């Protein structure tokens, strides 16, 4: 996928050389407001709504999105959450996007925010995050018909935009409009600038009532339509679950690690009152207590499912960290160098000619030199990656308004309590005392999830415990040469991480012991883990390993700068993907799970929190439907399992 080839006419108008048509005229902003916003009854139609969802065919330079965002900002009756889903087969470049917005000074600050996230637009679904997560742009790159078939959307308004039917007939044909209609519910409004007879007829056939009304210059007329078919539409393929989305109420999240904190924050932004229960006395006391970790995309020559999920996760992590964390202290989007086998670089064959290079590319000599590697070393530079302190992210996420955290709350059992209105959940301790009550429960407690499910006679999730030890130490003068960015591969090194009391620390490892959950490690196990971490470091970065060799010397264990240990137990699924979604929507309504982040919690957790909230509310998902399905909790439910109703 390449960017659109744009020529700029003498009057400053962008011109598509691919489609032989102008993108915008001087009246483009007036058209965005009069044709699309007002044609769909906005902003009046969204007044008082919890959410509003708009589908646009043809993102172009993003002017319709920017105008809608500005209208949302200016409206005191705006919905709590604005979803804007836009399809684009040939995205313009970030530079052209900003150049086009420069003629509209009132939109330029918003365009600059858009440009900052407008990168790496490979084919697929990209979630861009604005206004603290209350304006969500789901930018879908690819053929409109294919995207409409593959995704699951239910929208309140449709902006039917794009090049003229003569120049781009595929966007306006009956098949595309039928696919658009499948995203609509009765009452969804549609607006477009074209009044072509073929378009009008196709919309009527798809169930819209169509009206031609005065337009905005330079167009004399426009179309306004409402989805109101004479037949009863078939059930839509909306986001899971199929039942009507619940109204935000009370929620219990069990687990105060990355998965629980991300789920709590995403739900709180949607209006839920969230209580987070954790058995420990401090936040992030489990695997999320890692002193410093790496987030980076996964690479595969066929750009497989793991790679695509990881990119969506990294984008989500970058967006929320930039808002919530202090750069250089809590996190750093420094980039990550990944050592690769000489015969397995990992890049897809055509990667070098598209937007994938904004994610990852073969490491330049400069990065190899800074890492102390030879010029001929095989490595990848991940530009959109870095390190973070998981506990700082957990604390920031749980600082969202509407979240309360309760320490020392060891949930021993859950019970579903029927009531006259609807059932609710009660979390009980070992003595049977009530810790909290809520209409929704999210299990985010790693392997402990299965103990709670067992108490409900529910099948266990396919979870696996993986113990790991990280080796770390305070950087002395001799360690100032360690790379300023993380390096990973067979092992990892994260150095130059500021310490609270001053100075910096390095972190190497960690080990990976499947089906082991015993903590703390014995002295013998701890010593053996340090040896393995140093051996991996010596293979990964021989120069850095030599620099730190004295710190790993067992004879110097009490000396300043000696290696120290941190150990935790990760939770992963057998297929190495997160588990997100309802436990069993029919038998256990209101019980959801978000767990199994594995060794990639920083890469996955923020995305999974948004995925859970989107599934719960039937929203546009933050990634492709097939990727969400691969992480769905439903894949873990045995077909023959009979869960009793509670």
């Amino acid at each position: 996928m390449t960017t659109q080839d744009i020529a700029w006419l003498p009057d400053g108008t962008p011109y598509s050389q691919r489609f032989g048509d102008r993108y915008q005229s001087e009246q483009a902003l007036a058209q965005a407001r009069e044709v699309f916003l007002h044609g769909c009854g906005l902003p009046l139609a969204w007044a008082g709504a919890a959410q509003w969802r708009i589908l646009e065919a043809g993102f172009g330079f993003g002017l319709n999105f920017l105008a809608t965002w500005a209208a949302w900002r200016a409206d005191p009756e705006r919905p709590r959450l604005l979803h804007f889903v836009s399809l684009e087969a040939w995205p313009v470049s970030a530079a052209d996007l900003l150049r086009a917005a420069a003629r509209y000074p009132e939109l330029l600050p918003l365009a600059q925010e858009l440009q900052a996230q407008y990168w790496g637009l490979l084919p697929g679904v990209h979630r861009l995050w604005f206004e603290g997560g209350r304006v969500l742009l789901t930018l879908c790159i690819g053929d409109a018909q294919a995207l409409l078939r593959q995704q699951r959307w239910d929208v309140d308004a449709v902006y039917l935009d794009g090049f003229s039917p003569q120049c781009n007939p595929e966007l306006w044909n009956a098949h595309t409009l039928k696919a658009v209609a499948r995203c609509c519910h009765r009452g969804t409004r549609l607006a477009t600038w074209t009044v072509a007879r073929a378009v009008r007829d196709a919309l009527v056939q798809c169930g819209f009532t169509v009206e031609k009304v005065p337009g905005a210059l330079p167009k004399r007329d426009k179309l306004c339509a409402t989805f109101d078919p004479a037949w009863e539409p078939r059930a839509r393929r909306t986001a899971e679950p199929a039942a009507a989305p619940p109204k935000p109420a009370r929620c219990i999240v069990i687990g105060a690690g990355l998965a629980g904190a991300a789920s709590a924050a995403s739900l709180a932004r949607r209006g839920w009152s969230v209580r987070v229960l954790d058995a420990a006395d401090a936040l992030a006391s489990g695997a999320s207590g890692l002193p410093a970790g790496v987030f980076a995309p996964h690479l595969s020559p066929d750009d497989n499912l793991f790679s695509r999920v990881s990119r969506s996760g990294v984008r989500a992590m970058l967006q929320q960290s930039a808002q919530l964390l202090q750069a250089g202290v809590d996190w750093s989007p420094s980039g990550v160098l990944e050592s690769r086998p000489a015969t397995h670089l990992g890049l897809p064959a055509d990667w070098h000619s598209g937007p994938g290079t904004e994610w990852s590319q073969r490491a330049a000599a400069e990065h190899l030199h800074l890492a102390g590697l030879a010029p001929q070393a095989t490595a990848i530079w991940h530009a959109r990656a870095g390190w973070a302190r998981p506990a700082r992210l957990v604390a920031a996420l749980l600082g969202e308004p509407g979240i309360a955290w309760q320490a020392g709350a060891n949930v021993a059992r859950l019970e579903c309590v029927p009531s006259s209105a609807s059932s609710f959940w009660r979390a009980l301790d070992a003595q049977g005392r009530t810790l909290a009550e809520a209409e929704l429960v999210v299990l985010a407690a790693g392997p402990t999830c299965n103990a709670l499910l067992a108490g409900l006679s529910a099948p266990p999730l396919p979870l696996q415990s993986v113990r790991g030890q990280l080796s770390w130490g305070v950087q002395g003068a001799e360690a100032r040469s360690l790379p300023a960015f993380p390096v990973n591969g067979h092992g990892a090194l994260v150095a130059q991480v500021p310490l609270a009391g001053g100075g910096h620390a390095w972190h190497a490892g960690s080990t990976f012991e499947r089906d082991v959950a015993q903590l703390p490690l014995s002295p013998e196990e701890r010593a053996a883990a340090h040896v393995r971490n140093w051996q991996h470091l010596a293979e990964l970065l021989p120069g850095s390993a030599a620099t730190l060799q004295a710190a790993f010397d067992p004879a110097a264990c009490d000396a300043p700068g000696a290696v120290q240990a941190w150990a935790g137990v990760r939770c992963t699924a057998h297929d190495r993907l997160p588990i997100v979604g309802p436990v069993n929507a029919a038998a256990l309504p209101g019980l959801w799970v978000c767990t199994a982040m594995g060794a990639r919690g920083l890469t996955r957790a923020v995305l999974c929190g948004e995925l859970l909230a989107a599934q719960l509310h039937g929203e546009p998902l933050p990634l492709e439907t097939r990727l969400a399905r691969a992480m769905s909790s439903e894949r873990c439910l045995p077909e023959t399992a009979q869960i009793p109703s509670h």
Side-chain angles (χ1 to χ4, degrees), residues 17 73 86 91 163 305 324 365 427 472 485 489 509 534 536 573 594 623 645:
Q17 299 189 90
R73 263 191 163 191
S86 191
F163 294 112
L305 183 148
L324 297 174
W472 72 278
F485 46 80
W534 187 84
H536 290 161
C594 183
L623 74 175
S645 297

Side-chain angles (χ1 to χ4, degrees), residues 46-74:
W46 68 31
Q51 297 190 10
W52 198 260
R53 303 161 193 181
I54 298 170
L55 171 64
E56 177 188 47
F59 186 72
F61 288 91
L63 188 60
N64 293 336
F65 167 67
L66 295 173
T68 304
W69 180 7
W72 178 91
R73 263 191 163 191

Side-chain angles (χ1 to χ4, degrees), residues 534-560:
W534 187 84
Q535 290 172 341
H536 290 161
L537 181 61
E539 295 175 15
L540 180 70
L541 294 169
S544 295
T547 298
L548 297 176
Q549 186 169 13
F552 281 90
D553 185 351
C557 60
D558 295 324

Side-chain angles (χ1 to χ4, degrees), residues 526-583:
R526 191 162 54 246
H530 282 318
V531 170
R532 288 199 297 276
N533 284 338
W534 187 84
Q535 290 172 341
H536 290 161
L537 181 61
E539 295 175 15
L540 180 70
L541 294 169
S544 295
T547 298
L548 297 176
Q549 186 169 13
F552 281 90
D553 185 351
C557 60
D558 295 324
V563 66
Q564 301 181 53
W566 179 91
V569 178
R570 314 171 187 97
C571 176
T572 187
H574 292 165
D575 61 6
R576 299 184 295 129
L577 284 169
I579 301 174
V580 183
V583 171

Side-chain angles (χ1 to χ4, degrees), residues 144-231:
Q145 284 190 39
L147 289 165
L148 289 164
R149 285 195 305 267
Q150 295 162 5
Q151 301 307 119
R152 298 175 172 184
W153 296 313
D154 178 14
V155 300
D156 305 298
V158 177
Y159 295 174
L160 204 55
D161 199 5
F163 294 112
S164 70
Q166 293 79 17
C167 297
N168 188 18
E170 291 297 315
L171 190 62
W172 303 93
N173 66 29
H175 295 293
T176 302
L177 297 181
K178 184 177 180 180
V180 167
R182 285 197 293 267
C183 299
C184 301
H185 53 256
R186 198 176 295 277
T188 295
R189 297 177 69 168
L190 177 148
T192 182
W193 54 265
T194 185
V195 294
R197 181 60 182 265
V199 174
R200 286 152 47 199
D201 290 347
L203 288 172
V204 170
Q205 291 172 7
C206 291
F208 288 90
T209 60
V210 180
E211 183 180 9
K212 185 166 71 171
V213 298
L217 291 176
K219 299 291 184 179
R220 185 177 62 183
D221 300 306
K222 66 182 180 184
L223 289 185
C224 293
T226 302
F227 188 64
D228 189 20
W231 60 90

Side-chain angles (χ1 to χ4, degrees), residues 312-330:
S312 293
V314 167
R315 190 183 285 275
M317 174 65 182
L318 287 166
Q319 291 163 354
Q320 292 205 23
S321 296
Q323 180 191 353
L324 297 174
L325 301 181
Q326 184 178 353
V329 176
D330 303 326

Side-chain angles (χ1 to χ4, degrees), residues 593-635:
V593 64
C594 183
T595 191
M597 301 297 118
R600 292 178 174 266
L602 285 171
T603 300
R604 294 170 165 177
V606 174
L607 172 68
C608 289
E610 279 294 288
L611 176 59
L612 182 144
Q615 289 177 330
L616 179 68
H617 288 274
E619 299 173 11
L621 302 181
L623 74 175
E624 290 128 282
T625 298
R626 71 180 185 89
L627 303 183
R629 191 179 298 119
M631 297 190 288
S632 171
S633 55
E634 293 186 345
R635 78 187 196 273

